[in-house]
Amino acid sequence: MHLDHLRWLGGPNLYVSRPVAIARLELEELTGRETTDFPGFADRLVPLLPGLTEHHCSAGRPGGLLEAMARGTYFGHVTEHVTLELSSMVGREVFFGRTVWAGAPGRYDVILECPRDEPPEHPIVERLLRLAMRTVTGLLEGGAPVLDPELTAISSAYGQSRLGVSTAALAEAARRRGIPVRRMGHLNLLQLGHGKHRRMVWAAMTDRTSAVGMEAAADKMLTKCLLEEAGLPVPSGRIVASAEEAVAVMTEIGGPVVVKPLSGHHGEKVSIELSGPAEVSAAFREAATVCEDVLVESYVPGRDHRVLVVGDRVVAAAELSPARVTGDGRSTIAELVDLANTDPLRGEGHDRPLTRLTLGDTELAHLAARGLHPGCVPADGEIVTLRRNANLSTGGTSKDVTDRMHPDVVRLCRRVAATIGLDVCGIDLRLPDIGAPIPPEATGVGVIEVNSSPGLRMHLAPYEGRSRDVAADIIDQMYPPGATARVPLVAVTGTNGKTTTVRMVAHLLGQDGRQVGMSTTEGVYVGNELIYKADASGPRSAQMVLGNRAVEAAVLETARGGIVRRGLGYNRADVAVITNISDDHLGVDDIDTVEDLVEIKALVAEEIRPGGHIVLNADDPRVAAFAERPAVRRRKPVVRYFAQSGTNDIVSRHLRAGGVAYYTEDGWLVEAEGGRTRALLPVGDVAGSFRGKADYMIANALAAAAATRALGVPMSLVARGLLTFDPHRCNPGRGCSFRVEETPVIVDYAHNPAAVAAVGGLLRRVWGRDGVATVTLPGDRCDDLVMETARELARSFDRVVVYEDEDLRGRRSGEMTRLIIDGLTQERPDVRIHTAGDLKDAVGIALGLTTPGEPLLLLYEKLQPVADLLQTLGAAPTPTSQTPR
């Protein structure tokens, strides 16, 4: 078998609400073969990966996979489970997998869950998958695959790529609060919240952490000066630039002393309790390898403590012990170190709650000073320290002492944090007993350091004592309980009318002065400013809107392509709008039927917050049925239907049950709830509706009214918004009317049968004649869909000018023109067809075919060339209210 390609869906998707990777596998010679065709395969596989015995598979219980292999299952499915098991073996805990046929014999898509904060497109997925493939094929060929070397390498890569302990805890704490979390690239940087409530946090450093405070904390001498001036206890000391100076300062202040780099971190090259000139000189040389400025200060006796202050609250305290092992009377120190490192809590650097022990130069020197070496065998119960300084980064351990803190110590730490000016800080203290009053003598307590962005490991998972959810304390500081982290979010999907409805919803939401972020096929907007020009209806554009701190409400066009290729770019919308579903995009991304489209677009209705709103087109049975989907019902949504008439059976039943609906009645748009009806706006006053004759525009207006009313926008503002939604300003390229001399020109983006039928019907209702159509259609649709769209054009127009867009979307030159002509002539043999080389020629030909006052429909692929051409022709925009009655 071989891996054809791999893609990632970073947001909620058709399979699961978490990120997944989708691997396209070609089974090749294993096509049509099952596990039962290879006697003994499962018996060789399970001893190699015993965890497979716990895999549920479709049986829903442990052993389900073994049963499936015994009955006979295909090897794409087996590869899925082997990949998941290998993932578990490297500590990458994911559980969801699915294998589905991908449209050809031996071709399967293997869907594999990814950790929520794993960087997108990280190579670890492919490495695990390829190892699984080699394992399966190796066993089939009678070999005995060796897993350990590659698994060790993958495990190391995974440890380096995943969030650090502190950042992962913050992400989890935020999600428990319902706060959106997004990891930024491969960094330990998190984006929390949406829009104007967006915050950033990098480990324990927040976007409100003072830069001045960080600089002060990073400079140990400056920290000492600031604290000393505030009357806080700090050890005396000075900066030195040579070993001789270091010895002189030790002599001056009296030993023992501590020698450390002025700007060091994680306890690197720190030497403590030094009394002799030789060891002070040696310690200086070590510290100077980190920083040329070295600090020599008096040693404060007592125990090492780390206190965490968040805001003005002391939230945790830990007593720290240096790296150590405990003898058993049999093992050497080196063996005890190796044994300690088998603890799964220990890892490299900061990726686990504890750091692995080492026997480097510092540890060997420490042992030698005590007359020991790695080959010594400590007595049973004897504690052997490997270092003098207590620091988790060098293998130390922590013991929670939060509940023992004396009020004096709490007040001291609060004063320290306030003096340095940090919103989150770790304070290193030495004192005899954290549970006792602060000793009166000056040398009885000392603030050793103040740390910005302190590590949280020692509090989250102390070696001894109770764990403290300090990550939640930091999140609560950033978002006080009860504060919101989200902005109102409306997601719009469907086949036709998405862009118009998005623009209309944004316009209505902006009536009360809100700054609305909007993503559409034309680009990303914040307020009236285009900030990103592109087809922006996928997850990237959604994240662009939601990450913008100017945004007070978000309206997101959510198209099929983005859902299929990348998943949703958000989770838990407040309102989901589904306009309609009909033939479009068939033959693209393995979407072959309208039923496939239904399943894709249903995700938008399913991915709402509990108790959120879904706005459904009751005139479209496929859309109306979304209300009954189990995944939608689990959200307990408020269903808001819209329809052209209140006599719609679905609307009538919904209102009798006390529901809410929007429809037209006696020439008015109305909102109805149960038996109560409220008039919103005369149908003919809806901007862009050609005095109410554009049924599709009225449907869009009803959907937009339903969505904005769901968010509490007053009726008066909704009505004002619908009245002022000028197409030329608010909805360019959608149903916009121009006049070129005596010819009305209607510019629209209709590009599928339903849209073409709607705009063709409008022109007949408004002008009472067929008119002329100037047409191009997108090339990334299947032939049948292109032909059906052309047939629909022939039902409305007796003269058609066909041109091809510059972007052929994979088609050969002339291919689309031929398909369109074939469709036109099949439906209407007498249709007059003209071909043109480009847009300019096509419009020129079409204008020559029209009679005075006869409409010309201009369908396009890119709007800007159309706008430029109309300007050249001197086209004058005309309000739709000025079209013929």
Side-chain angles (χ1 to χ4, degrees), residues 119-386:
E121 303 186 16
H122 194 276
I124 196 166
V125 183
E126 182 172 347
R127 292 178 66 177
L128 287 166
L129 184 63
R130 290 193 182 280
L131 180 58
M133 294 165 62
R134 290 197 299 272
T135 301
V136 171
T137 55
L139 288 172
L140 290 173
E141 293 166 356
V146 178
L147 301 177
D148 285 348
E150 178 66 4
L151 273 181
T152 300
I154 293 174
S155 179
S156 175
Y158 175 58
Q160 293 171 13
S161 70
R162 66 182 177 179
L163 290 175
V165 173
S166 298
T167 311
L170 288 163
E172 176 60 27
R175 290 188 172 111
R176 287 199 306 269
R177 282 272 310 271
I179 296 170
V181 177
R182 181 182 170 216
R183 182 181 184 179
M184 306 305 288
H186 291 65
L187 303 173
N188 272 287
L189 175 64
L190 301 178
Q191 176 180 292
L192 307 180
H194 288 161
K196 69 176 184 178
H197 304 299
R198 192 211 75 190
R199 300 288 305 276
M200 305 288 276
V201 61
W202 191 324
M205 177 175 62
T206 80
D207 53 10
R208 308 257 173 101
T209 297
S210 164
V212 173
M214 288 181 62
E215 289 294 324
D219 186 328
K220 294 177 175 58
M221 196 64 198
L222 177 57
T223 300
K224 288 168 62 69
C225 292
L226 291 172
L227 296 180
E228 192 171 31
E229 287 189 3
L232 293 161
V234 293
S236 56
R238 289 215 315 269
I239 297 172
V240 298
S242 67
E244 292 75 19
E245 276 191 81
V247 172
V249 171
M250 184 266 293
T251 303
E252 177 186 331
I253 63 177
V257 295
V258 175
V259 178
K260 56 187 176 183
L262 185 64
S263 57
H265 59 283
H266 303 318
E268 185 180 15
K269 305 299 183 182
V270 174
S271 302
I272 67 172
E273 208 171 352
L274 309 177
S275 299
E279 57 183 355
V280 169
S281 296
F284 170 85
R285 287 189 289 272
E286 281 287 296
T289 62
V290 176
C291 175
E292 62 182 27
D293 290 327
V294 175
L295 179 61
V296 179
E297 63 183 15
S298 57
Y299 172 76
V300 179
R303 299 172 179 171
D304 288 292
H305 297 86
R306 165 64 66 83
V307 178
L308 182 66
V309 181
V310 178
D312 64 350
R313 296 187 307 121
V314 172
V315 299
E319 183 179 313
L320 307 181
S321 299
R324 57 186 172 171
V325 293
T326 302
D328 58 11
R330 303 183 306 276
S331 306
T332 66
I333 292 174
E335 290 169 338
L336 291 170
V337 167
D338 291 340
L339 180 63
N341 285 335
T342 63
D343 185 343
L345 294 178
R346 289 193 183 273
E348 299 292 342
H350 298 265
D351 67 329
R352 300 287 174 87
L354 297 173
T355 300
R356 289 173 61 85
L357 302 178
T358 62
L359 287 173
D361 292 343
T362 301
E363 289 80 9
L364 294 176
H366 177 77
L367 291 174
R370 299 183 58 193
L372 299 173
H373 58 81
C376 292
V377 178
D380 187 22
E382 180 185 353
I383 294 176
V384 177
T385 60
L386 304 178

Side-chain angles (χ1 to χ4, degrees), residues 51-102:
L52 292 175
T53 60
E54 297 298 314
H55 285 219
H56 290 205
C57 201
S58 57
R61 62 179 181 277
L65 174 63
L66 301 189
E67 295 171 12
M69 288 196 292
R71 290 192 307 269
T73 189
Y74 45 90
F75 286 96
H77 181 214
V78 174
T79 303
E80 167 209 323
H81 280 273
V82 172
T83 306
L84 289 173
E85 182 58 26
L86 293 173
S87 181
S88 176
M89 292 171 70
V90 300
R92 186 175 174 268
E93 294 294 333
V94 291
F95 304 98
F96 174 83
R98 183 177 297 170
T99 303
V100 297
W101 186 64

